[in-house]
Amino acid sequence: MRKAIFPGSFDPITLGHYDIIKRSIPLFDEIIIAIGVNAEKKYMFSIEDRTRFIKEAFADEPSVSVVVYEGLTIDLCKKLKANFILRGLRNPADFEFEKAIAHTNRLLSKIETVFLLTASKTSFISSSIVRDVIRNGGNYEMLVPDSVRLKK
C-alpha cells in the first residue's frame, strides 16, 4: 500500500496545499494530512479549525484523512506505517530547504520524500501571505478552499 504523510501547520490550508493534495490522490492509496503542533509557534487558527477546514475540503475524498501530531514526521510515518512524505515546492528556496530535510529523513528512516511542484496559478500562495491578508482585512477568499472562508 502506498501511504503518504503530507505534514504542515496548515494555518490555514491554502489553494496551493489543496492542489498538491488533489494531484497526489492518484499517486497514493492513502494520504494523511498531518497537522504539526509546535508549542513555540503562535497560530492564527486553532487546531480544531485547521482540522475542520481540511476535513471539509476533502469530505468527498475517502483516501484523504487528517491527524494532529507533535514530534518528528518520520516517527509519525513509522507509527502510521506510511512509506512516503509528500511535499510541495513553490520555488528554489523551498527546494533547498526541503532537500535538506528529505536527506535527513531518508538517512534516519529510509522513508522517501516525494516532491510535487505547485501549479503556476498557486505557486505564489503561502499560509503566511493568507494570514497577513486576513489580518489586514483583505480579500483572501481566492487564496483558500471554500472551507476556510470565515463567517462574516
Side-chain angles (χ1 to χ4, degrees):
M1 174 180 245
R2 295 177 322 259
K3 187 186 291 191
I5 301 285
F6 186 37
S9 61
F10 304 102
D11 186 34
I13 186 171
T14 69
L15 287 180
H17 296 126
Y18 183 84
D19 175 65
I20 292 292
I21 296 162
K22 288 295 271 189
R23 289 178 27 230
S24 68
I25 289 171
L27 304 176
F28 300 102
D29 300 307
E30 184 178 350
I31 300 166
I32 301 166
I33 303 169
I35 304 172
V37 176
N38 180 344
E40 312 270 316
K41 200 170 176 184
K42 179 144 173 58
Y43 298 103
M44 176 175 272
F45 296 96
S46 71
I47 197 71
E48 295 80 14
D49 284 341
R50 289 181 279 154
T51 300
R52 181 176 46 80
F53 295 156
I54 294 167
K55 284 183 176 180
E56 287 178 12
F58 294 98
D60 295 335
E61 297 292 349
S63 66
V64 177
S65 61
V66 183
V67 298
V68 175
Y69 78 108
E70 291 183 52
L72 297 175
T73 302
I74 57 171
D75 290 340
L76 179 66
C77 289
K78 290 174 187 175
K79 177 181 172 185
L80 300 179
K81 297 180 177 31
N83 329 65
F84 302 97
I85 296 171
L86 175 64
R87 298 299 292 158
L89 299 175
R90 294 172 296 188
N91 54 49
D94 279 358
F95 174 72
E96 290 302 324
F97 178 73
E98 293 291 346
K99 178 177 75 166
I101 295 170
H103 283 314
T104 304
N105 287 340
R106 178 86 171 106
L107 178 68
L108 296 175
S109 69
K110 306 297 184 236
I111 293 169
E112 293 288 352
T113 301
V114 175
F115 297 111
L116 290 183
L117 297 177
T118 57
S120 59
K121 67 183 179 187
T122 62
S123 64
F124 66 95
I125 303 171
S126 70
S127 293
S128 58
I129 288 172
V130 172
R131 289 191 307 272
D132 195 45
V133 171
I134 291 170
R135 262 189 223 101
N136 289 288
N139 183 357
Y140 63 93
E141 293 183 352
M142 73 283 294
L143 304 172
V144 296
D146 290 345
S147 61
V148 179
R149 295 183 181 159
L150 302 174
K151 309 291 186 264
K152 295 187 179 181

